[in-house]
Structure formats: C-alpha cells, structure tokens
Amino acid sequence: MTESSGPVPPVSEGLLGAALLDAILPVFVTGSWDDGMPVLWVNPAFTESTGISTDDMNRRGIHPLLTLVEDDPDREPGQASLRAGKPTERMIRGQRANGAPTWWHVSMSPIPDGDGSVRMWLGAATDVSTYVQRHAAQLASLEFERRERADLDLVAQTSELLGDLEYPYALRDIADLLRALVPWAGFYLNDDGLMFADGVDVASPPSGRGRRHTRYVPESPVLAHQGDQLGDDAAGVRASVDQVQDLLDGVVDGPVLLELDGRFPAHSASGWLRRDLVRRIVEETGVIPRSVVVHGVAGRRRVLGLVASWHGAGTAVDGLVGPDPDEIPAEPQHVFTVIEVVARRAGTAIDNARLYAREHRLAEALQRAMLPEQAEVPGLDVWTYYAPNAEHAQVGGDWYDVLQITEGTVGLVVGDVVGHDVEAAAAMGQLRSVVRSYAFELATPGVVVDRVDQLVTGMRIPRSASMVYATLRHEPDGDVWAVQYTRAGHLPPLLLRDGTVTQLADAGGSLIGFGSKPRATARAELRRGDVLLFYTDGLIERRDRSLKVGLDALIETSARITARDAAGVGEELLSRLADAPEDDVALVVVRVPDPVVDAEVQPLSPRSRRWLLPSEPASIGRARHAVLRTCQAWGLPESASAELVVSELVANGVLHGWGNIALRLFDTGDGLRIEVEDSNPAPPVTTDGHPNRLGGFGMQIVERLADWGWRPAGSGKLVWAKLRPTGA
C-alpha cells in the first residue's frame, strides 16, 4: 500500500455534471414538491430506457414521471418523505421505451439551497426487473412446493384413516380434510341406493354387479326457494341424461359436473343427489349451490359410491351472503387431482375391507359349524382350550373333541392339519366328521384310525394331518379310568402323577392317510389326582428353538404344576408356555378329582381361568359347572351367586351374540370377577321383563348380586361382573 502524495483535489461542478451525463444509470433532476416536481433534466441513459427526453417531459406538464408508474396503492410513505424534504427510495413498476413492463428501484435525494430549502431533487433509477422476476419465481416455486407438501400430507392422512374403516366416522373425517381445498365435500355410498356416508358398512358385500339407484326423496322447501330465485326456466326438468347414474354404472369415468339449478326425474340418481346436496350444503353454509363436481369411488368391479365437492358458486339464502360466482377464480388442477386420488384410494380400501369382512364371516360360519365340542363327563374334570393364530380367519387346522360315547366311556381326540387358513379349516372339518363317525361305531382307537386312514385316502384331502385318539373307560371299582390310545404322527400325550410326568409315546404311527400297516393301541390308567394332557405343537413350538427343546420345556413345566383343577392346570401351562403363541393352540386337560387331596390347603396357582364356549345352549351348563369348580378350587364362598351371574351373562351371549363366547374368571382378592365376551357389539340392557311372557329379568339378577359394566372388545363386547362379598 502506497502513501498518498497529497490532498485529494475537489471535484468541480462541471466534472460532476459530466459524470451524471455519462452515467449508465437513468438519472433525472426535478423541481421542488411545491412546484409539482417538474422534470428539469434527464441523462441519455434515462432517455434510452424510457424513450422520453427532457423536452418530451416539459411538453407533458406537471408530474410527467407519473405516466411511467402504474397504480401504486402504497405510495403515501414515499410522498410523505418528499413533502418533508427527506431522502426516499421506492420500488415502482413502469414501462420501457418499447412498452415492456419493468421494475425500477428509484432513489430521490434532496438538493438544498444555501438557506436549507429544497428546490430540486436528484433521482436515480435502477432496473431490477431480473431480480424481481427471479424472486417471484422463487416464491412461486416455494408456494408450489408448499402446496405439494400440503396435498401429500392430506393424502397421507386420508390413507391413515382408510387403514381403519371400522372407525364409524372415517369418511366424515376424510371429507373434513378435503374441506381444506373446497368449501364442502361429502361421501355417498351406493348400498341398496345412494346414501350419505360418515363411515363404511364393511358388512355390505364387496364389489360385484352395479346397483341401480331407486330411492326417492321429495322436493324440499329449500329447493322450491331455489326455483323461485333462479327462475322458471332454470327449474325445468332435465331428463335427457342421468349423469350420476352413468357414473355409478361405469358408463363414464368422471368426474362430472352436476348442475343443481334444475329438476331431474324423481327416481333418478341425479335427482336424488341434487336434492340431498342442496339440503346439506344450505344447512351448513347458508348458500344454495349451483353446481358440484362428482367423482366416482371405484372398487374392483363396480363404482361403490361418490365423492361430491362444492367449489363455492351459489346463491345466498335467508339473508346470508355467499360468494359471488363471478369473483370465484378457476379451481387449480391440483384440487381435482387430490380429490381423484382420495376417491380412488377410498374405493380400493372399502373394497378390501368388505372382502376381508366377507372372508371373516365365511370363516366364522365355518367355525360355528366346526367348533370343538366338549361333553360334560361325570366323574372327570375336563378343561379345553383352542386359540387360532390366524387374525382374520379366526379358525385354523387344530381341533379337539371330547365325546361321551357311552355312559362309562369317553372319547378324546386332538388333531392338527398343516396350515392355519380356511383351507386347513375345511380339511380339519372333514377329518373331524370322519373321526366322530367311527368313534361312535368302533371301540378300539387303533381300529378307528385304521378306518379313518382308508376313508381319507379316498377323499384325497389336500392337507396332511396328525392326531391322537384315546378312549377313557370307567372301571367298576370307581377309582380308576382305563386309557387306550393311538397316535398318528402326533406328539405324545402326557400323564401327570404326583409331580412325575410320563410321556404316552407308544402306539405311534404315520400321518393320517399314510398308514401302511394296522394301527397299534396302547394302554394306561388314570387314578385319583392324575392329569392327562393332550396338546398340539402350537403350545411348545417356537422359531428360536427346536420342537424337542419345546417338549422338554413342557415336561419340566408340567412337573411343577400345583393346581388341583383342570382349568388351573391349563392356565399354568398357557401362562408359562403360550403367552404369545406363534401357531394355533389346542389343549385338553383331563383330571380325575381327588376329594381328600383337593380339600387341603389351596395351591399357589394362577388365580385366573378361561374357557372358549360355542354359542349354543349347552354352553350355559358348562359355564355353571366351570364357575362351581373354580370357586371350589379357590375356596371362594360365593359359588351360588357366581353360578347365577355367570348363567345369566353366558345365556345373554348365547341368545343375543354369535361366534365364540369367551368366559374368564379372576380372583381379585376381594371378590370374584366374571367376564363374558361375545361378537355382538350391542350393549346389554336392564329391562323390567317381557310383558305377557317369561324372561327379561337376567340383568336385574346380576345387579342384585354384583357390580357390572361393559366395554367394546374387538368386533363385539365384553360384559363384566364383580361379585359383592357375602352379606353385602
């Protein structure tokens, strides 16, 4: 850096004038504000940019610069600075010499006289059109990105709502989301005629043949008012085309614009939808709509319904001011695109939900026809449990039966068909029927399974299966039950006696239908206090261990069981081995009661019990026996009250529910809690009885003996009752 050789000489006025004259920026000089700021001088750059010289401006008169500036509603701050003689700068929109619009950044600086008064102003203008356009493009890009994000977020929220169509207001909430784009939107489903829908009835059949709309709704006073406002010509009948029915029939893909300022045939889909839309939109907004956009909600084979969206045009009603149709801008294309995407996703989701519901109902029908049965066996304590692992099918390939063959003979069977789907359930049902038929005809288990082999070979059942079949015969002395059994590729039953576990592993053989030689029959016996355990591999099978390790764990767990009732034995096994099973589980526990040992100190077993009962009258008796045995095992004194309460709750489930009935008992420490779950979501109701006929007092009995309530559970309900202490 070099030092200066001397003071900088002052710039002469002539040099400044020459600099302004040669400047590349448009520069101009005006008079004072009081004189109207006439343009006194402009440089060549100004003339080149605007096409206007000083002489041209002088001929234009006062404020010639205003001809270069379009309307500026925010000019007052700049004018206030000019009046006060203060420097100011403004962004203004003007025109170039060729008439092209442009943006200028104009700065005005006062030129004071010797006495301080401002008689002239120096102005400079910078063309910033490129920067303004770039900034506008950036803002437009950001706005487009924001809108795209908002649209994607709306579609994502819609998809989340469509994931749970059992929620009764799923479609209403989706329509509320769409109202961020349009003033009003709503769903209509075509289930036996169009109906406005807040939610989805998944019980309706999935898409098949289309349904014609035939529901009739008369004209409302609002529509008559609309006819008065729009004139007689607008209220004429438009019967030539039923646009909505064409959309429902798939004749057109949509969307269609439905004009609402006319009349349609009374039974047409367009006429019904017009009347319903006008009524709803008027109630919510106070405006009679003139037209709506209708999108089809398409399933796989037919259009399931409609999405109607009102975009704002209409006439005010009852003094309410609505939007002027002339002032409503054209709807952006993205709005129609988003509504179309939502309609398409809704159609797919509704169709899937109804398809799954139909499969579920089919599985439930199979299940009701093939539910495992358990006969009440005098002299034995029998507990059974079955839990399919299939979430939707609710029925798998495992099964059991407890059959009262003769007065002193009981048949026990546990089987497992490969898989846990509807096909496995169908194969299980066939096998179960065959086994039951031969069990009542033949006495020896090996012979029964031989006959099953022969019949299954001819039936060509597509799934392989294993099973254990046993008979228990009561010996004349009354203390011993003789056991005969045979195994067809199934895990061995277990015999529990005084803490010792014995595998009944004899009489083994190949899977059902693959027997090449006669089946063998093995023998054992049950004494007082003994437990016989039948099970399927779902009880012990896990991905992280072999089946042998699981069997060893079952034997070890069984040796430590302390419960003295069959249900307690089952609860201990399930709690320790099958808290989260990975496959279907079937379990049969048979115990010979021992009055002497059972009356001793109560064992430390789980204070909970569960049963899965078919929806049939015989389950009421089973439930009573179950609660009596449980109260005896736990030493609870409220057995009589518990028997009454459980009888009423299970009877309600049998009479008014469907599917399985789940019974659960809990010892809370201050009273017995009873829970009964069925598949009917309707809550129980206390009545004053049925006039002129018996019954109707069940819940009154429950109220007298217990505190009770209910809550939704799965697709049905759970009713609970907690017994009051004796004497309360």
Side-chain angles (χ1 to χ4, degrees), residues 104-398:
W104 302 94
H105 180 268
V106 179
S107 60
M108 301 289 292
S109 301
I111 304 176
D113 286 345
D115 58 358
S117 60
V118 177
R119 298 189 180 277
M120 289 188 296
W121 291 82
L122 176 64
T126 305
D127 187 351
V128 293
S129 299
T130 302
Y131 303 101
V132 171
Q133 292 171 1
R134 185 181 303 167
H135 180 65
Q138 290 175 344
L139 291 179
S141 176
L142 291 174
E143 175 61 21
F144 179 79
E145 183 179 356
R146 183 203 63 78
R147 190 179 66 196
E148 289 290 310
R149 288 179 179 272
D151 292 346
L152 290 175
D153 183 62
L154 188 148
V155 173
Q157 293 182 64
T158 298
S159 300
E160 184 176 352
L161 288 169
L162 291 172
D164 182 16
L165 287 179
E166 292 185 357
Y167 172 55
Y169 302 110
L171 296 184
R172 183 197 66 183
D173 290 354
I174 294 173
D176 289 342
L177 291 175
L178 291 178
R179 293 182 190 187
L181 303 176
V182 294
W184 189 92
F187 279 86
Y188 290 82
L189 294 183
N190 189 24
D191 298 332
D192 291 326
L194 282 175
M195 286 291 292
F196 183 79
D198 285 330
V200 178
D201 179 13
V202 295
S204 181
S207 64
R209 297 181 61 186
R211 301 181 179 186
R212 303 291 295 183
H213 178 86
T214 58
R215 185 176 289 110
Y216 170 69
V217 176
E219 294 282 359
S220 67
V222 171
L223 293 173
H225 179 64
Q226 181 189 25
D228 294 339
Q229 289 189 344
L230 299 178
D232 294 335
D233 293 339
V237 177
R238 293 177 181 167
S240 58
V241 177
D242 188 352
Q243 295 173 292
V244 174
Q245 190 63 60
D246 287 346
L247 189 60
L248 292 173
D249 291 341
V251 177
V252 296
D253 293 333
V256 299
L257 182 67
L258 180 64
E259 299 289 345
L260 303 181
D261 57 355
R263 298 180 184 272
F264 296 88
H267 293 277
S268 67
S270 296
W272 183 91
L273 184 62
R274 167 188 174 267
R275 291 187 290 274
D276 194 74
L277 282 170
V278 170
R279 177 179 62 83
R280 293 182 183 278
I281 296 176
V282 167
E283 288 178 355
E284 294 189 32
T285 67
V287 176
I288 295 179
R290 294 192 175 181
S291 63
V292 295
V293 178
V294 184
H295 295 257
V297 177
R300 289 178 176 82
R301 299 182 180 179
R302 71 176 179 93
V303 177
L304 304 177
L306 309 168
V307 179
S309 56
W310 174 54
H311 295 246
T315 303
V317 177
D318 295 333
L320 298 178
V321 178
D324 185 346
D326 296 331
E327 296 179 358
I328 297 175
E331 201 68 55
Q333 182 61 38
H334 82 99
V335 173
F336 296 100
T337 302
V338 171
I339 297 177
E340 181 67 26
V341 170
V342 170
R344 188 165 55 247
R345 292 196 175 194
T348 302
I350 293 170
D351 217 11
N352 287 338
R354 289 177 171 176
L355 180 62
Y356 292 151
R358 185 180 66 169
E359 291 184 353
H360 181 76
R361 290 192 299 272
L362 173 62
E364 282 191 338
L366 282 172
Q367 187 178 27
R368 286 194 294 271
M370 300 182 298
L371 274 177
E373 295 185 5
Q374 174 190 327
E376 286 298 324
V377 183
L380 291 178
D381 181 9
V382 182
W383 179 85
T384 56
Y385 179 79
Y386 173 65
N389 189 49
E391 179 179 357
H392 294 292
Q394 295 298 309
V395 63
D398 293 9

Side-chain angles (χ1 to χ4, degrees), residues 638 641-642 644-646 649 671-674 686 698-709 719-725 728:
E638 301 94 349
S641 298
L644 281 173
V645 171
V646 78
L649 296 184
L672 180 68
R673 179 183 173 93
I674 302 169
T686 303
M699 296 311 296
Q700 290 191 29
I701 295 174
V702 174
E703 282 188 344
R704 292 289 184 92
L705 301 175
D707 300 319
W708 72 279
V719 183
W720 61 268
K722 183 176 178 298
L723 294 179
R724 301 188 185 98

Side-chain angles (χ1 to χ4, degrees), residues 11-85:
V11 179
S12 66
E13 293 182 2
L15 185 59
L16 286 175
L20 293 176
L21 190 67
D22 296 335
I24 62 174
L25 292 179
V27 179
F28 56 92
V29 177
T30 72
S32 67
W33 175 265
D34 294 336
D35 295 336
M37 298 189 72
V39 177
L40 305 178
W41 174 85
V42 297
N43 70 345
F46 185 95
T47 301
E48 181 181 356
S49 298
T50 64
I52 302 174
S53 64
T54 304
D55 294 338
D56 294 331
M57 287 192 172
N58 289 334
R59 287 194 298 270
R60 296 188 182 201
I62 300 177
H63 295 303
L65 288 179
L66 294 181
T67 61
L68 305 179
V69 182
E70 296 183 357
D71 293 338
D72 183 7
D74 195 26
R75 73 179 84 178
E76 179 58 33
Q79 292 181 352
S81 298
L82 292 175
R83 284 194 298 268

